[in-house]
Amino acid sequence: MARMAAPAPTTPTTPTVTRHIACNLCEAICGLEVDVQGERIIAIRGDEQDPLSKGHICPKAVALKDLHEDPDRLRRPVKRVGTGPDATWQEITWDEAFDLVVDGLARVRQQHGSNAVAVYQGNPNVHNYGNLTHSPRFFGLLRTRHRYSATSVDQLPHHVVARWLYGHQLLIPIPDVDRTSFFLVMGANPLASNGSLMTAPDMRGRLKALKARGGRLVVIDPRRTETAAAADQHHFIRPGTDATLLLAMIQVLFAEDLVRPGRLAAFIDDVDAVRSAIARFTPEAAATVTGIAADTIRGLARDLAAAEGGVVYGRMGLSTQPHGVLCQWAIQVLNILTGQLDREGGALLTRPAMDLVAGGQMGRGDFGRWTSRVRRVPEFGGELPVATLAEDILTPSQGGQDQPIRALVTSAGNPVLSTPNGAQLDRALATLDFMVSIDFYLNETTRHAHVILPPTCAVEHDHYDLVFHHLAVRNTARYSPALLPKPPGALHDWEIYNALARRYKARFGTPAKGPLPQRLLRRAAEGLMNRLRPDQLLALGLRLGPYRLSLRRLRRDHPHGLDLGPLRPSLPGRLRTPGKRIALMPPQAGSLLAGQADALLTPPAPGLRLIGRREVRNNNSWMHNTPRLMSGKPRCTLQMHPADAAERGVADGQLVRVASRVGAVEVPVQITDAVAPGVVCLPHGFGHGRPGVRLGVATQHAGASVNDLTDDQLLDSGSGNAALNGVPVTVERVSTPTQSHAPIEAAA
Ligand SMILES: Nc1nc2c(c(=O)[nH]1)N[C@H]1C(S)=C(S)[C@@H](COP(=O)(O)OP(=O)(O)OC[C@H]3O[C@@H](n4cnc5c(=O)[nH]c(N)nc54)[C@H](O)[C@@H]3O)O[C@H]1N2
Ligand SMILES: Nc1nc2c(c(=O)[nH]1)N[C@H]1C(S)=C(S)[C@@H](COP(=O)(O)OP(=O)(O)OC[C@H]3O[C@@H](n4cnc5c(=O)[nH]c(N)nc54)[C@H](O)[C@@H]3O)O[C@H]1N2
Ligand code: SF4
Ligand SMILES: [Mo]
């Protein structure tokens, strides 16, 4: 297959025009000002007039140009001929590709039932609004219970707790960073990640402003991160013990009579149930578990209680660990009992211009309606935890209706590198009868596909941040027209979904379920979805939204985005719970606490624990193919404390073998006291040395995949989210490196 050249050359007379779009690479959704000459991107700068980002950008924004021009990016559908290292890829027409896909999926469904087809949706789905508006129809037609997404290697505990306490999985309170006076950040590194479940471009500037107005930033993290280094206080914590710390902070509130929910008291229940459930969690008991002194824990609780606008915020480090749900639950309880929820400077709900919460019961996050095949882990919001995917492919049928997964659709995801025990999933994908990937890279995951359907890239389609406006520290609305025209013969993600849905429906139809009026309504809605573009659906959503916006006017009058003001108190009105009340102790939280209390009060066993790392020039696994982001020192290094290195006779830069229950990798060590003793730290998203990937730059910086070490059997007890952090590992010096890029399998 021929590689596509960069976009058509321009002549010196082609005029340069300046356009404005939002960057969709991460949750910060920064405004960009882009100079374009013909179809060539000339320069990318921050858009000073964006009401949210005010000119801020990070180095990744400039890499949008590289992504657009990347000769490795697929521009035409391809089908795989042959398997393994000898596989070749042939360009085919869209028609042939769609036929192959629908045939492949239909064959598996007819032979093994609809649950034998699985779906995995990766992170960029939420960063590309056409996927959000148009993928549900096609995936719904597949009628499978085996749906997975990056949510369960990320923020599932946040959604579960939001559903329990506030009645909808998207009602996640956002730290009011611009007005807070006490910001307790746990397991998040927004100075590298640019913020998550907290859309807040230019965190560095916002944290500086916090300090300038006399506020304080405290960070709890097993690593002295960029954010920790900028904090007033940083405390190392033993990985996976944050729930114990948070429960002890709640205990202090009760013990010292600091419970002051203020106006929230009118609509919260179960305060006494919380008090008795956490009575055992004294600061002294928590100190032996977490490694943080009892007086420090008391101080944190007092500071939060006393703050005129204070907030506890916990992200990845708290959700991807064995007590993810308990951590997120305890954070909400702390913010509520101190009256910091729904208050300026505390944690507030947003009021987005297109409000996904307003859709009644739809999408609120129902749970437990079915379970995974083998481990029987319950679904949430129609999805199963992706840590169970490989075993549900590999385990043979147990008889009756039970069928292993035989086909997979992946969309904007790279689960071989991004989900726990990725090497096992890698092996599982090779056994599938059929796989299709909607993606523009031939990477560690998509190389297993029979067909790859490549959509347009970010600068070739329009965009509106349906999700991140829900999570932003300020209410704004910004529509980005496509920066460049869609190349001839290319399709957007949403067009691919529409084509697949049309053909799949022609094959299987929609079962005539339910009474006639409902069926007619469903048909009308489907017809509408089939005919309307994402921007037309957006226009409808904005018009029906709380500000009754017109998309036409938003585009014409506010090309840099429309400022809708700071977050405002909205409770109890915005609650979606019965009677608009908050039950602090939902039954699930009660039984989790009771079941986990002993474990939470037991200090972790000795031995090294592995945690992850993000750096500003990475973006999960998929921005490693741009030279400007990969220059400089190798980043896929194992950070280790000097004492741990000395104990193992390891010198800086030496190759070490890191091993866990599931596998081993070899990586250079970086000795630093930025990690706590007993903690080692490896970034995720590397491991590009697997055969058959077509990522010319990334493979030269292949690194090893941390997820060849993380364990698919380690889950958050409350949600099934992968516990990617705090994995027990051993580290030893390597004298003769293993001559293979493939992950090293664990000894049986
Ligand atoms: N540059 C860059 N930016 C990104 C991404 C990227 O890959 N690169 N990815 C984007 C995505 S998809 C997301 S979800 C966000 C994530 O955004 P963040 O959550 O801010 O990102 P992380 O850097 O993973 O922060 C997790 C922190 O938890 C710490 N940690 C690990 N284990 C524990 C523990 O047991 N307890 C505590 N207290 N801390 C712990 C880690 O040391 C780390 O500092 O970032 C987004 N932005
Ligand atoms: N150990 C460990 N593992 C982790 C994490 C961690 O901190 N530690 N972080 C986790 C987190 S927070 C996340 S979100 C996941 C991410 O996990 P995934 O979403 O599975 O992986 P990504 O690396 O984001 O891969 C995104 C894929 O989407 C493609 N893509 C990009 N844009 C588009 C588009 O517009 N359309 C289509 N169709 N495809 C597109 C890219 O080519 C790439 O193949 O990783 C998780 N894995
Ligand atoms: S911080 Fe995120 S949204 Fe902003 S420029 Fe960087 S990658 Fe893009
Ligand atoms: Mo994520």
Side-chain angles (χ1 to χ4, degrees), residues 24 67 120-125 127-128 131 150-151 153-155 315-316 320 411-415 417-420 438-441 443 446 453 455-458 461 493 497 612-614 619-622 682-685 706-707 710 724-725:
N24 74 338
L67 175 65
Y120 174 82
Q121 290 177 274
N123 166 276
N125 277 289
H127 295 268
N128 180 337
N131 287 32
T151 297
V153 280
D154 185 349
Q155 83 279 9
R315 220 9 226 116
M316 275 293 289
T320 55
S411 142
N414 192 4
L417 292 193
S418 62
T419 68
I438 305 171
D439 203 307
F440 40 61
Y441 278 121
N443 64 21
T446 61
L453 307 173
T456 50
C457 80
H461 60 75
D493 280 270
Y497 286 117
R613 174 163 96 238
R614 284 181 158 74
N619 194 23
N620 296 322
S621 78
W622 72 279
L682 194 62
H684 77 289
V706 71
N707 286 320
T710 56
L724 302 168
N725 280 301

Side-chain angles (χ1 to χ4, degrees), residues 5-19:
T10 49
T11 62
T13 52
T14 313
T16 299
V17 291
T18 299
R19 300 217 175 94

Side-chain angles (χ1 to χ4, degrees), residues 507-518:
R507 191 73 63 97
F508 287 99
T510 323
K513 261 201 331 217
L516 185 69
Q518 240 180 38

Side-chain angles (χ1 to χ4, degrees), residues 60 154 189 192-193 220-222 225 240 242 316 614-615 618 620:
K60 288 191 293 292
D154 185 349
N189 185 15
S193 71
I220 311 278
D221 201 300
T225 59
D242 303 80
M316 275 293 289
R614 284 181 158 74
E615 279 156 313
N618 299 339
N620 296 322

Side-chain angles (χ1 to χ4, degrees), residues 27-29 52 172 174-177 197-201 348-352 467-476 565-567:
E27 298 180 39
I29 63 173
L52 197 57
I172 296 174
I174 306 303
D176 191 10
V177 276
L197 301 183
M198 176 178 66
T199 285
L348 290 153
L349 292 168
T350 56
R351 199 170 146 78
V467 170
F468 300 109
H469 285 309
H470 278 259
L471 304 170
V473 297
R474 194 176 175 88
N475 292 311
T476 62
L567 305 187

Side-chain angles (χ1 to χ4, degrees), residues 10 16-17 34-38 40-44 65 69:
T10 49
T16 299
V17 291
V34 188
D35 295 339
V36 178
Q37 193 182 29
R40 187 177 287 278
I41 297 171
I42 303 295
I44 300 181
K65 171 179 163 69
E69 295 171 4

